[in-house]
Amino acid sequence: MSSVNRRRFLGFAAAAGLAGAAGVALRGRRAASDPPFLPDPLFPNALRLPGSEDLFDIVDVTGTLTLVSTRVQQTIRPGKPATLLGYAVDLNGRAAVNPTLRMRRGARLIVRYWNALDEPSIVHWHGLEVDTNNDGHPHYAVGPGETYDYHFEVTNRAGTYWYHPHPHHLAGRQAYLGLAGCLIVEDEEELALQRALDFRLGATDIPLLIQDKRLTADGSLLYSPGAQERFQGYCGGDVLVNLTPRPCFDCESRAYRFRLVNGSNARIYRLAFLHQDSPLGFHVVGSDGGLLAAPAAASEVFLAPGERVDVVLDLSVADRGERVVLASLPFDAMHFSGVRGVHAGSVEIPENGAPLELMLIRVARRTRFELRLPDRLSFLPAPSAEDVATRRFVLDHARGAWRINGESYRMTETAFEVKRGAREVWEFSNPPPAMPHPVHIHGFQYRVLERIASPAHVQALAFDARGLSAAEAGWKDTVLLWPGETVRVLMDFTHPHHGYQIYIVQCHNLEHETHGMMVNFRISGQPD
Ligand SMILES: [Cu+2]
């Protein structure tokens, strides 16, 4: 881009909060003939659906995309438009903000990232198996007005991934102030499932980005952690779903697919769908890295920051007018300090583990529907760790910093090296007194082998003798490690990227990440 065009572009982005893009197509607008929305007194706001407005609009990625991180005007608190941060894409003069990027497995993602913030940033494609240059490592953060070009083939399985900022020390604040969006990968297997169950993105297949925020009276987002929150994690009192407070989703009496994404900085959810105050059973069909081998019945699931779970909820059992509430059931979040109930001004912020109501699902229309879920969804080889060496990680804290194996993050240092093509068991332990840590590994999807010494509320959800929950039977990139627990995962470092590659192991509690709970590792450049 010439400097003249660059100046023009910056002026355009600053004036309109937009970004430039080419080769993207738009799908999935709601029909104008939909019945009018009658507000529920407790959940008065219509859930934002991808494809129905500029926020989270569906963008089919078929060519080059320009994604700008910038200040955007959006209305979260009704009637109170406010400035937050967003990723903007220009669709022929109209902006999509935090677009839901949809693409085929094997397609190339060619993105010019433009940082129109007044501080450094970089985009991390959470869960994608890319090389270092495309991973959004904090070392590659670009300054205000600068660009970073991404160019890679999406080799991941079909599934729900997401993107968010990853600059050193700033990721938590930037993500909190609005920068996050979903990336949906599809393949033939996934499209067959969509056809079989009539799952349409934004209509019957709904990504739900769950984020707890602090909303001020003027409708803006407040990120101002005190000393304890800077260390333990920053929670908000308003749980937003797709940036909608107290959302209501009007549906038909049929099956829906919900792609649940925990985009919160620090809050863990114990998700359940309450129908007449008891949990309605659902089917887990996918995890972080795509479809499970077979649907797994569940009535609740823990979802930690960074994790995704793909569920099918059959509402054909409900009559018109019936209500189902997506809730987080109470649990002991096992925070070591025992400090309860942070106050933010006059507002009490519910502690991690407090019961919360997230969203109302209201059956607005009866329809004839019978759920016929396939017995098999995909092929997943059973993970085998025979003759595989173990590498151990201890997550702890000292002198106000979070550590992995005794070290707090040093951006330019590499803690250890792994041979390209090697298989290793990675064993994470979390000696108490401690906090839960969602362990995210960049660059690779992995399988969870075993949970050891789990707290009772985690054991209660064990799906098999290895202590895993239903959602942990598939591929994962983020796994929740509770205090006192040891979790073993199977890593396979086979990948197509040549030369040395640097990746990250981190806690996805973004305040823990900011306070050092992150480490670089290197894949050696030897051939397989
Ligand atoms: Cu942590």
Side-chain angles (χ1 to χ4, degrees):
M1 200 177 274
S2 73
S3 61
V4 173
N5 283 341
R6 187 177 287 239
R7 276 200 302 277
R8 270 191 198 142
F9 188 93
L10 269 177
F12 167 66
L18 303 185
V24 294
L26 179 67
R27 297 248 181 91
R29 301 220 141 251
R30 267 196 293 180
S33 61
D34 279 0
F37 180 74
L38 304 169
D40 178 90
L42 292 175
F43 296 88
N45 306 310
L47 175 72
R48 287 191 156 99
L49 295 171
S52 67
E53 56 176 294
D54 59 348
L55 252 176
F56 307 113
D57 209 345
I58 301 165
V59 171
D60 283 310
V61 182
T62 56
T64 304
L65 194 70
T66 298
L67 193 70
V68 180
S69 56
T70 184
R71 293 176 186 279
V72 293
Q73 282 279 314
Q74 289 292 335
T75 302
I76 298 177
R77 194 183 281 288
K80 304 275 186 184
T83 301
L84 52 147
L85 304 184
Y87 289 113
V89 167
D90 174 48
L91 303 170
N92 301 316
R94 194 176 58 75
V97 176
N98 293 344
T100 304
L101 303 177
R102 177 167 60 179
M103 56 191 310
R104 285 299 192 88
R105 184 181 194 181
R108 302 198 77 83
L109 191 67
I110 307 169
V111 171
R112 167 153 291 187
Y113 166 59
W114 189 294
N115 181 11
L117 307 175
D118 53 12
E119 60 186 22
S121 194
I122 192 76
V123 182
H124 170 52
W125 310 95
H126 185 121
L128 295 191
E129 296 168 326
V130 294
D131 64 352
T132 301
N133 288 335
N134 287 296
D135 189 49
H137 189 281
H139 187 64
Y140 293 127
V142 292
E146 294 180 345
T147 61
Y148 190 91
D149 288 337
Y150 296 88
H151 186 170
F152 59 90
E153 183 184 339
V154 174
T155 58
N156 281 70
R157 303 172 79 236
T160 310
Y161 304 90
W162 65 301
Y163 57 96
H164 61 77
H166 217 290
H168 196 27
H169 294 315
L170 298 169
R173 196 177 73 85
Q174 291 180 5
Y176 187 90
L177 293 177
L179 289 167
C182 294
L183 189 151
I184 290 173
V185 178
E186 297 178 330
D187 63 9
E188 288 307 322
E189 194 173 67
E190 161 64 28
L191 293 174
L193 180 69
Q194 292 178 14
R195 280 191 296 270
L197 296 174
D198 184 31
F199 285 149
R200 288 164 283 123
L201 191 61
T204 55
D205 176 340
I206 316 286
L208 299 175
L209 181 61
I210 302 169
Q211 298 167 305
D212 61 327
K213 305 284 191 193
R214 288 185 200 174
L215 268 179
T216 61
D218 68 358
S220 54
L221 298 173
L222 177 70
Y223 187 77
S224 64
Q228 183 191 310
E229 295 163 324
R230 272 199 298 277
F231 181 62
Q232 294 198 3
Y234 191 62
C235 289
D238 293 284
V239 185
L240 310 182
V241 182
N242 295 349
L243 289 177
T244 318
R246 304 298 295 176
C248 175
F249 176 54
D250 274 353
C251 67
E252 298 185 354
S253 58
R254 53 155 293 151
Y256 284 81
R257 174 194 210 166
F258 294 112
R259 302 173 184 257
L260 299 155
V261 181
N262 186 347
S264 307
N265 278 34
R267 191 179 288 282
I268 299 164
Y269 304 91
R270 181 185 165 202
L271 297 173
F273 295 94
L274 299 181
H275 180 230
Q276 293 157 1
D277 290 331
S278 44
L280 185 63
F282 55 88
H283 306 273
V284 180
V285 295
S287 56
D288 298 344
L291 293 174
L292 304 184
S299 58
E300 58 178 89
V301 62
F302 279 106
L303 199 68
E307 285 189 300
R308 288 86 67 208
V309 65
D310 188 348
V311 306
V312 173
L313 181 70
D314 188 4
L315 293 161
S316 67
V317 297
D319 278 325
R320 187 171 188 276
E322 284 194 42
R323 300 153 62 87
V324 173
V325 174
L326 173 61
S328 183
L329 304 177
F331 64 96
D332 179 3
M334 305 181 75
H335 290 194
F336 51 80
S337 72
V339 176
R340 307 255 147 175
V342 176
H343 286 265
S346 58
V347 184
E348 177 146 3
I349 304 299
E351 61 187 318
N352 220 339
L356 296 164
E357 289 184 329
L358 276 57
M359 180 175 91
L360 173 64
I361 301 167
R362 197 165 58 165
V363 179
R365 291 172 294 279
R366 281 294 302 174
T367 186
R368 290 172 65 88
F369 182 90
E370 190 188 344
L371 177 61
R372 290 199 191 87
L373 213 49
D375 294 337
R376 306 303 301 173
L377 296 166
S378 187
F379 173 73
L380 270 77
S384 164
E386 219 172 300
D387 300 327
V388 177
T390 297
R391 194 184 290 272
R392 291 185 172 82
F393 299 83
V394 176
L395 283 73
D396 68 1
H397 58 94
R399 295 178 296 281
W402 293 103
R403 312 188 303 180
I404 297 178
N405 285 346
E407 295 280 352
S408 287
Y409 190 58
R410 291 173 297 167
M411 189 166 68
T412 55
E413 306 264 323
T414 301
F416 60 94
E417 182 170 293
V418 175
K419 248 189 135 122
R420 185 167 178 249
R423 295 167 77 237
E424 295 188 356
V425 172
W426 282 15
E427 185 178 291
F428 297 95
S429 54
N430 187 10
M435 285 185 68
H437 301 297
V439 180
H440 174 43
I441 303 170
H442 290 222
F444 299 89
Q445 293 283 330
Y446 53 80
R447 301 292 294 279
V448 184
L449 293 169
E450 196 178 2
R451 287 186 172 276
I452 300 161
S454 302
H457 61 268
V458 176
Q459 284 180 34
L461 298 186
F463 183 67
D464 62 16
R466 301 173 300 159
L468 314 190
S469 71
E472 290 165 343
W475 290 96
K476 295 287 290 173
D477 54 54
T478 308
V479 67
L480 183 53
L481 177 68
W482 293 87
E485 209 179 23
T486 293
V487 174
R488 303 172 76 239
V489 308
L490 180 63
M491 302 296 302
D492 184 339
F493 295 98
T494 307
H495 70 180
H497 312 304
H498 291 274
Y500 288 105
Q501 303 294 336
I502 306 284
Y503 293 109
I504 280 173
V505 185
Q506 66 162 102
C507 177
H508 220 283
N509 175 317
L510 296 182
E511 282 72 38
H512 294 189
E513 174 200 316
T514 305
H515 277 71
M517 193 164 256
M518 184 151 78
V519 72
N520 293 326
F521 67 100
R522 183 162 79 163
I523 308 294
S524 70
Q526 339 268 310
D528 297 344

